[in-house]
Amino acid sequence: MKRWQATEFGMPQAVLKLAEVALPEPGPREARVRVLAASVALPDLLMVQGRYPFVPAPPVSPGQEIVGIVDKAGSGYPFPVGTRIMGNSRADIAVGGLAEYTLSPATGAVPVLPELTDSQAAGFPGSFHVAHIGLAHRAALQPGETLLVLGGSGRTGSAAIQLGKALGATVIATARNHDKARFCQAQGADHVINLREQPLTDTVRDLTGGHGVDVVYDTVGGETYDQATHAIARAGRVLLVGFASGTWGQPDPQHIMFNDYSVSGALSAFRHDTERDETLNALADLLRQGAISPPVTDQYTFDDVPAAITSRSGDAVGQAVVTVASTAELVAAP
Ligand SMILES: NC(=O)c1ccc[n+]([C@@H]2O[C@H](COP(=O)([O-])OP(=O)(O)OC[C@H]3O[C@@H](n4cnc5c(N)ncnc54)[C@H](OP(=O)(O)O)[C@@H]3O)[C@@H](O)[C@H]2O)c1
């Protein structure tokens, strides 16, 4: 079978090779999955460059999120062979999803909602599923509240904008150029703050009449986190989701206590089964109503993986997807 991988860190075009490797064998609560499509995002680029904390040394095999068909189930894996699932790969051990087959852990895997195409399903758990876990379960976002999404044009941020609107919030998003700001508006953001032109804290205070935002969805971290937490309302909630800036937000206990807000994490793979089922049912309803729609903005072929990953460094918005195989091809295969 074929897999994109690198034996050293560097730029994708320089180090990634399409290698012929042995079929991976699933361990307990894992499946071998025939990959249909993989989502490509900033973490894949950081991973190949050696800037992603969960892959500290080569070899590296990107493609963290996949949609595919269960080919072989390890002991205790919950879904039978033949199930179309969406979930994570084992990119953490260099068995990534930009491959004909990958390994996928039971934690975080779910059968694909019928409302989703393969391309939409490839990144759904890491975008809409984590947004719903964060906004609905951890932050308990209420209709009429104000949500601030940091990194609104990204894959995870754009899902939070759409979902925040669907849950009845007023949504403010951040972006760093006009094209990204327009994309945030197209996802439903009521206001977009261009961080190249406007100060975050003061602009949020102005937009909210001094009240501040009720919930912060942070996919960026670093200084942007600090500025956002200086514009949070009493009893506000901050969700730590990602670190697109390269540095996680650094919660300050004294600031939290004196400003009366809470900070929690949101990760698509970590939730108990009841939350998972509630979230999937809620998201399926919203998909059917047309209230949310995963924005697949770029499609690449399996041969174009280095270009797909490189594209996430610049002005990319929404979600990029690499098609590995189609269901029709797999059914026709001997
Ligand atoms: N918790 C979870 O379950 C989960 C799931 C998926 C991803 N994540 C994490 O979320 C973060 C974002 O991932 P993603 O897939 O949404 O990435 P993405 O699609 O590339 O989006 C990142 C966004 O962050 C903004 N940004 C701000 N500062 C940046 C910087 N210094 N460099 C690059 N982008 C910057 C960019 O918008 P502007 O340029 O307009 O600012 C961009 O739109 C990553 O840290 C990832 O690991 C977490």
mmCIF file of all heavy atoms in Angstrom, residues 63-91:
data_model
loop_
_atom_site.group_PDB
_atom_site.id
_atom_site.type_symbol
_atom_site.label_atom_id
_atom_site.label_comp_id
_atom_site.label_asym_id
_atom_site.label_seq_id
_atom_site.Cartn_x
_atom_site.Cartn_y
_atom_site.Cartn_z
ATOM 1 N N GLY A 63 -1.848 13.878 8.006
ATOM 2 C CA GLY A 63 -3.210 13.447 7.679
ATOM 3 C C GLY A 63 -3.900 12.947 8.935
ATOM 4 O O GLY A 63 -4.114 11.754 9.091
ATOM 5 N N GLN A 64 -4.252 13.897 9.831
ATOM 6 C CA GLN A 64 -4.766 13.477 11.145
ATOM 7 C C GLN A 64 -6.206 13.026 11.108
ATOM 8 O O GLN A 64 -6.630 12.279 11.975
ATOM 9 C CB GLN A 64 -4.679 14.652 12.121
ATOM 10 C CG GLN A 64 -3.292 15.008 12.521
ATOM 11 C CD GLN A 64 -3.308 15.862 13.774
ATOM 12 O OE1 GLN A 64 -3.287 15.364 14.883
ATOM 13 N NE2 GLN A 64 -3.354 17.153 13.604
ATOM 14 N N GLU A 65 -6.982 13.548 10.146
ATOM 15 C CA GLU A 65 -8.423 13.252 10.177
ATOM 16 C C GLU A 65 -8.861 12.644 8.860
ATOM 17 O O GLU A 65 -8.518 13.147 7.783
ATOM 18 C CB GLU A 65 -9.209 14.535 10.439
ATOM 19 C CG GLU A 65 -9.031 15.016 11.864
ATOM 20 C CD GLU A 65 -9.819 16.269 12.126
ATOM 21 O OE1 GLU A 65 -11.010 16.303 11.764
ATOM 22 O OE2 GLU A 65 -9.230 17.213 12.660
ATOM 23 N N ILE A 66 -9.633 11.585 8.975
ATOM 24 C CA ILE A 66 -9.982 10.824 7.763
ATOM 25 C C ILE A 66 -11.456 10.419 7.751
ATOM 26 O O ILE A 66 -12.134 10.415 8.775
ATOM 27 C CB ILE A 66 -9.144 9.524 7.673
ATOM 28 C CG1 ILE A 66 -9.210 8.723 9.001
ATOM 29 C CG2 ILE A 66 -7.687 9.843 7.354
ATOM 30 C CD1 ILE A 66 -9.995 7.495 8.957
ATOM 31 N N VAL A 67 -11.906 10.076 6.546
ATOM 32 C CA VAL A 67 -13.140 9.308 6.404
ATOM 33 C C VAL A 67 -12.746 8.059 5.625
ATOM 34 O O VAL A 67 -11.912 8.123 4.714
ATOM 35 C CB VAL A 67 -14.243 10.124 5.686
ATOM 36 C CG1 VAL A 67 -13.794 10.624 4.328
ATOM 37 C CG2 VAL A 67 -15.510 9.301 5.525
ATOM 38 N N GLY A 68 -13.296 6.916 6.017
ATOM 39 C CA GLY A 68 -12.923 5.683 5.329
ATOM 40 C C GLY A 68 -13.809 4.528 5.742
ATOM 41 O O GLY A 68 -14.771 4.691 6.509
ATOM 42 N N ILE A 69 -13.467 3.367 5.227
ATOM 43 C CA ILE A 69 -14.283 2.170 5.472
ATOM 44 C C ILE A 69 -13.474 1.189 6.313
ATOM 45 O O ILE A 69 -12.312 0.899 5.993
ATOM 46 C CB ILE A 69 -14.708 1.551 4.125
ATOM 47 C CG1 ILE A 69 -15.610 2.549 3.388
ATOM 48 C CG2 ILE A 69 -15.419 0.228 4.327
ATOM 49 C CD1 ILE A 69 -15.963 2.175 1.984
ATOM 50 N N VAL A 70 -14.084 0.704 7.394
ATOM 51 C CA VAL A 70 -13.382 -0.233 8.285
ATOM 52 C C VAL A 70 -13.050 -1.499 7.497
ATOM 53 O O VAL A 70 -13.921 -2.160 6.931
ATOM 54 C CB VAL A 70 -14.241 -0.575 9.525
ATOM 55 C CG1 VAL A 70 -13.534 -1.623 10.386
ATOM 56 C CG2 VAL A 70 -14.529 0.687 10.333
ATOM 57 N N ASP A 71 -11.739 -1.816 7.453
ATOM 58 C CA ASP A 71 -11.237 -2.953 6.675
ATOM 59 C C ASP A 71 -10.911 -4.127 7.594
ATOM 60 O O ASP A 71 -11.089 -5.285 7.238
ATOM 61 C CB ASP A 71 -9.977 -2.478 5.929
ATOM 62 C CG ASP A 71 -9.290 -3.573 5.169
ATOM 63 O OD1 ASP A 71 -9.907 -4.087 4.207
ATOM 64 O OD2 ASP A 71 -8.161 -3.933 5.536
ATOM 65 N N LYS A 72 -10.419 -3.827 8.793
ATOM 66 C CA LYS A 72 -10.122 -4.866 9.780
ATOM 67 C C LYS A 72 -10.246 -4.237 11.159
ATOM 68 O O LYS A 72 -9.673 -3.167 11.391
ATOM 69 C CB LYS A 72 -8.707 -5.411 9.571
ATOM 70 C CG LYS A 72 -8.354 -6.543 10.515
ATOM 71 C CD LYS A 72 -6.990 -7.143 10.177
ATOM 72 C CE LYS A 72 -6.675 -8.296 11.128
ATOM 73 N NZ LYS A 72 -5.347 -8.879 10.875
ATOM 74 N N ALA A 73 -10.995 -4.877 12.048
ATOM 75 C CA ALA A 73 -11.222 -4.306 13.375
ATOM 76 C C ALA A 73 -10.389 -5.044 14.415
ATOM 77 O O ALA A 73 -10.407 -6.282 14.463
ATOM 78 C CB ALA A 73 -12.705 -4.386 13.732
ATOM 79 N N GLY A 74 -9.644 -4.288 15.265
ATOM 80 C CA GLY A 74 -8.932 -4.884 16.386
ATOM 81 C C GLY A 74 -9.921 -5.218 17.498
ATOM 82 O O GLY A 74 -11.097 -4.816 17.442
ATOM 83 N N SER A 75 -9.444 -5.917 18.543
ATOM 84 C CA SER A 75 -10.351 -6.325 19.621
ATOM 85 C C SER A 75 -10.957 -5.087 20.290
ATOM 86 O O SER A 75 -10.268 -4.094 20.525
ATOM 87 C CB SER A 75 -9.589 -7.160 20.651
ATOM 88 O OG SER A 75 -8.592 -6.362 21.240
ATOM 89 N N GLY A 76 -12.254 -5.156 20.542
ATOM 90 C CA GLY A 76 -12.933 -4.076 21.246
ATOM 91 C C GLY A 76 -13.278 -2.882 20.386
ATOM 92 O O GLY A 76 -13.849 -1.905 20.874
ATOM 93 N N TYR A 77 -12.948 -2.925 19.072
ATOM 94 C CA TYR A 77 -13.318 -1.787 18.212
ATOM 95 C C TYR A 77 -14.839 -1.847 17.981
ATOM 96 O O TYR A 77 -15.380 -2.909 17.686
ATOM 97 C CB TYR A 77 -12.558 -1.858 16.876
ATOM 98 C CG TYR A 77 -12.797 -0.633 16.011
ATOM 99 C CD1 TYR A 77 -12.160 0.557 16.278
ATOM 100 C CD2 TYR A 77 -13.703 -0.687 14.946
ATOM 101 C CE1 TYR A 77 -12.404 1.684 15.508
ATOM 102 C CE2 TYR A 77 -13.951 0.438 14.170
ATOM 103 C CZ TYR A 77 -13.297 1.627 14.456
ATOM 104 O OH TYR A 77 -13.544 2.740 13.695
ATOM 105 N N PRO A 78 -15.564 -0.723 18.133
ATOM 106 C CA PRO A 78 -17.027 -0.796 18.205
ATOM 107 C C PRO A 78 -17.768 -0.963 16.871
ATOM 108 O O PRO A 78 -18.951 -1.307 16.885
ATOM 109 C CB PRO A 78 -17.413 0.549 18.844
ATOM 110 C CG PRO A 78 -16.272 1.462 18.546
ATOM 111 C CD PRO A 78 -15.049 0.623 18.460
ATOM 112 N N PHE A 79 -17.118 -0.714 15.733
ATOM 113 C CA PHE A 79 -17.875 -0.723 14.478
ATOM 114 C C PHE A 79 -17.403 -1.874 13.582
ATOM 115 O O PHE A 79 -16.197 -2.123 13.454
ATOM 116 C CB PHE A 79 -17.708 0.609 13.741
ATOM 117 C CG PHE A 79 -17.997 1.792 14.616
ATOM 118 C CD1 PHE A 79 -16.999 2.709 14.923
ATOM 119 C CD2 PHE A 79 -19.264 1.980 15.161
ATOM 120 C CE1 PHE A 79 -17.247 3.785 15.763
ATOM 121 C CE2 PHE A 79 -19.529 3.060 15.998
ATOM 122 C CZ PHE A 79 -18.513 3.967 16.295
ATOM 123 N N PRO A 80 -18.346 -2.601 12.933
ATOM 124 C CA PRO A 80 -17.953 -3.772 12.145
ATOM 125 C C PRO A 80 -17.258 -3.405 10.828
ATOM 126 O O PRO A 80 -17.374 -2.264 10.349
ATOM 127 C CB PRO A 80 -19.289 -4.471 11.856
ATOM 128 C CG PRO A 80 -20.331 -3.437 12.037
ATOM 129 C CD PRO A 80 -19.803 -2.416 12.995
ATOM 130 N N VAL A 81 -16.557 -4.381 10.273
ATOM 131 C CA VAL A 81 -15.929 -4.221 8.955
ATOM 132 C C VAL A 81 -16.995 -3.753 7.966
ATOM 133 O O VAL A 81 -18.125 -4.218 7.973
ATOM 134 C CB VAL A 81 -15.309 -5.578 8.509
ATOM 135 C CG1 VAL A 81 -14.908 -5.528 7.038
ATOM 136 C CG2 VAL A 81 -14.101 -5.905 9.389
ATOM 137 N N GLY A 82 -16.630 -2.802 7.129
ATOM 138 C CA GLY A 82 -17.568 -2.280 6.128
ATOM 139 C C GLY A 82 -18.221 -0.973 6.542
ATOM 140 O O GLY A 82 -18.829 -0.291 5.717
ATOM 141 N N THR A 83 -18.106 -0.588 7.851
ATOM 142 C CA THR A 83 -18.730 0.675 8.296
ATOM 143 C C THR A 83 -17.943 1.861 7.744
ATOM 144 O O THR A 83 -16.711 1.878 7.775
ATOM 145 C CB THR A 83 -18.736 0.778 9.852
ATOM 146 O OG1 THR A 83 -19.233 -0.434 10.392
ATOM 147 C CG2 THR A 83 -19.566 1.955 10.324
ATOM 148 N N ARG A 84 -18.679 2.864 7.220
ATOM 149 C CA ARG A 84 -18.029 4.114 6.780
ATOM 150 C C ARG A 84 -17.906 4.995 8.026
ATOM 151 O O ARG A 84 -18.919 5.389 8.616
ATOM 152 C CB ARG A 84 -18.901 4.750 5.698
ATOM 153 C CG ARG A 84 -18.353 5.990 5.030
ATOM 154 C CD ARG A 84 -19.226 6.308 3.800
ATOM 155 N NE ARG A 84 -19.132 7.688 3.376
ATOM 156 C CZ ARG A 84 -20.099 8.598 3.502
ATOM 157 N NH1 ARG A 84 -21.257 8.269 4.034
ATOM 158 N NH2 ARG A 84 -19.918 9.835 3.073
ATOM 159 N N ILE A 85 -16.658 5.258 8.456
ATOM 160 C CA ILE A 85 -16.459 6.041 9.691
ATOM 161 C C ILE A 85 -15.690 7.331 9.380
ATOM 162 O O ILE A 85 -14.999 7.441 8.357
ATOM 163 C CB ILE A 85 -15.682 5.246 10.774
ATOM 164 C CG1 ILE A 85 -14.289 4.815 10.267
ATOM 165 C CG2 ILE A 85 -16.468 4.060 11.276
ATOM 166 C CD1 ILE A 85 -13.149 5.476 10.945
ATOM 167 N N MET A 86 -15.834 8.291 10.291
ATOM 168 C CA MET A 86 -14.973 9.481 10.247
ATOM 169 C C MET A 86 -14.281 9.553 11.599
ATOM 170 O O MET A 86 -14.890 9.247 12.632
ATOM 171 C CB MET A 86 -15.779 10.745 9.945
ATOM 172 C CG MET A 86 -17.016 10.944 10.782
ATOM 173 S SD MET A 86 -18.005 12.346 10.187
ATOM 174 C CE MET A 86 -19.405 12.289 11.331
ATOM 175 N N GLY A 87 -13.010 9.904 11.591
ATOM 176 C CA GLY A 87 -12.277 9.933 12.854
ATOM 177 C C GLY A 87 -10.831 10.305 12.621
ATOM 178 O O GLY A 87 -10.469 10.890 11.596
ATOM 179 N N ASN A 88 -9.992 9.938 13.582
ATOM 180 C CA ASN A 88 -8.571 10.282 13.508
ATOM 181 C C ASN A 88 -7.767 9.125 12.934
ATOM 182 O O ASN A 88 -8.212 7.982 12.946
ATOM 183 C CB ASN A 88 -8.054 10.612 14.903
ATOM 184 C CG ASN A 88 -8.721 11.843 15.473
ATOM 185 O OD1 ASN A 88 -8.798 12.870 14.800
ATOM 186 N ND2 ASN A 88 -9.249 11.750 16.672
ATOM 187 N N SER A 89 -6.556 9.459 12.469
ATOM 188 C CA SER A 89 -5.588 8.436 12.082
ATOM 189 C C SER A 89 -4.620 8.245 13.255
ATOM 190 O O SER A 89 -4.806 8.827 14.322
ATOM 191 C CB SER A 89 -4.813 8.901 10.854
ATOM 192 O OG SER A 89 -3.917 9.931 11.247
ATOM 193 N N ARG A 90 -3.579 7.462 13.055
ATOM 194 C CA ARG A 90 -2.508 7.363 14.064
ATOM 195 C C ARG A 90 -1.289 8.143 13.574
ATOM 196 O O ARG A 90 -0.158 7.650 13.609
ATOM 197 C CB ARG A 90 -2.168 5.891 14.343
ATOM 198 C CG ARG A 90 -3.254 5.102 15.057
ATOM 199 C CD ARG A 90 -3.646 5.637 16.444
ATOM 200 N NE ARG A 90 -2.554 5.985 17.335
ATOM 201 C CZ ARG A 90 -1.944 5.136 18.170
ATOM 202 N NH1 ARG A 90 -2.354 3.885 18.242
ATOM 203 N NH2 ARG A 90 -0.968 5.524 18.944
ATOM 204 N N ALA A 91 -1.533 9.379 13.118
ATOM 205 C CA ALA A 91 -0.415 10.247 12.705
ATOM 206 C C ALA A 91 0.575 10.425 13.852
ATOM 207 O O ALA A 91 1.754 10.692 13.623
ATOM 208 C CB ALA A 91 -0.948 11.609 12.249
#
